[in-house]
Amino acid sequence: VAQDKKWNIGFSQATTIEPWRAQFNKDIIAEAEKYPDVNLIITDGEDKTEKQVADVENLIRQEVDALLISPKESAGLTGVVQQAIDAGIPVFVLDRNVDTDQYTQFVGGDNKLIGRAAGEYAVELLGGPGKAEGNVVEIWGGLGTQPAHDRSEGFHEFTDKEPGIKNLLDQQSGDWKQDQAYNIMATALRNNEDIDLVYGHNDPMAYGAYLAAKDAGREKDIKFIGIDALPAEGVTWVKNGELTATFLYATPGAEGLRQAIKFLNGEKVEKTITLPTEKITKENADAVLKEKGL
Ligand code: FRU
């Protein structure tokens, strides 16, 4: 830890191999640069629970003033989060939750709401409420994460009301990864003559499924919905007509750090900060990219 800075803030990131996480780190680093008093220590869990647990133990040992964590999964990280709390470190949980609410604050998107928006749009794409018909492939994110469960539950609140909608897969996880989703979709395409819509719990998986359909010459028959809306990924894929829609899942990097600093400066913070979402289709993809200067 830096002795010359007022605050040492640790951030335990789950992994950096996924593009959304790389953006997340950029966002938190950019925010930290605005505070000369803050020394930000970022660790990379390398997509492994054991590595992330060791990272957090290390940050506790360094006696950071605050701990920010975006956990790889809920169950495996709950213990070490509790350890930090017990050590008197204020903990800010970002994006994926843990199985305790003893932390200082949670900052992230409302995955249930995003799932509902995706489900409502899927119903519309398949013919509208009461008339929707089609075979749906849902590709789950990590089964041990709250976002995957919320994204699924919200979606099904809408699609399960439609007798004409059939789910072709049962809780198949691509673990948020494009290549795993490609393989799931390639198998689904071999097993099913008709696939009408793919719901990927994030854009890399929706895009992986798109690529599998393209390789099978069937991409034109299928709608693809994803989540994240990174400009250079999801939004661009929507603009190109590869994905039909994506839903913004803003990274909590900047807001999470701002909140931690606010708390360290003695101000009150809310228990939960919910980041807004937005539906991106061909209609607004260009405008969204222009806003980002792309
Ligand atoms: C990145 C990611 C995002 C997704 C989020 C959910 O690791 O998979 O694509 O929206 O995590 O926690």
Side-chain angles (χ1 to χ4, degrees), residues 20 151 176-178 181 200-210 224-231 233-238 243 245-249 280:
W20 186 85
R151 288 174 190 190
W176 308 112
K177 313 284 193 303
Q178 180 179 311
H201 285 184
N202 68 359
D203 289 338
M205 295 196 297
Y207 189 64
Y210 165 82
F224 299 87
I225 299 179
I227 295 168
D228 278 347
L230 287 179
E233 295 218 331
V235 183
T236 299
W237 294 328
V238 168
L243 301 187
T246 177
F247 293 83
L248 174 68
Y249 189 61
I280 291 140

Side-chain angles (χ1 to χ4, degrees), residues 189-223:
L189 286 159
R190 275 196 298 276
N191 293 341
N192 300 280
E193 253 172 59
D194 285 318
I195 298 178
D196 301 289
L197 186 137
V198 171
Y199 173 43
H201 285 184
N202 68 359
D203 289 338
M205 295 196 297
Y207 189 64
Y210 165 82
L211 292 177
K214 195 170 174 224
D215 287 347
R218 289 169 61 180
E219 83 281 8
K220 298 269 186 300
D221 310 333
I222 306 170
K223 311 268 191 245

Side-chain angles (χ1 to χ4, degrees), residues 60-117:
I60 296 172
R61 239 176 282 128
Q62 292 184 59
E63 298 181 353
V64 289
D65 297 297
L67 171 72
L68 280 62
I69 177 169
S70 190
K72 168 163 169 64
E73 39 114 1
S74 309
L77 272 311
T78 300
V80 83
V81 162
Q82 192 60 53
Q83 234 173 282
I85 295 165
D86 294 343
I89 300 173
V91 175
F92 296 77
V93 180
L94 311 179
D95 144 59
R96 295 183 189 166
N97 223 324
V98 285
D99 301 330
T100 171
D101 59 4
Q102 307 265 298
Y103 49 74
T104 301
Q105 186 182 58
F106 177 83
V107 184
D110 184 338
N111 288 295
K112 196 65 93 43
L113 183 94
I114 293 173
R116 285 190 193 112

Side-chain angles (χ1 to χ4, degrees), residues 106-162:
F106 177 83
V107 184
D110 184 338
N111 288 295
K112 196 65 93 43
L113 183 94
I114 293 173
R116 285 190 193 112
E120 189 171 24
Y121 192 52
V123 167
E124 191 186 319
L125 288 170
L126 294 174
K131 300 179 297 234
E133 261 178 47
N135 293 335
V136 171
V137 163
E138 176 183 11
I139 305 178
W140 277 64
L143 294 180
T145 70
Q146 196 62 45
H149 287 270
D150 289 348
R151 288 174 190 190
S152 185
E153 240 179 85
F155 185 81
H156 284 278
E157 278 180 29
F158 281 83
T159 58
D160 286 0
K161 277 195 225 137
E162 302 297 324

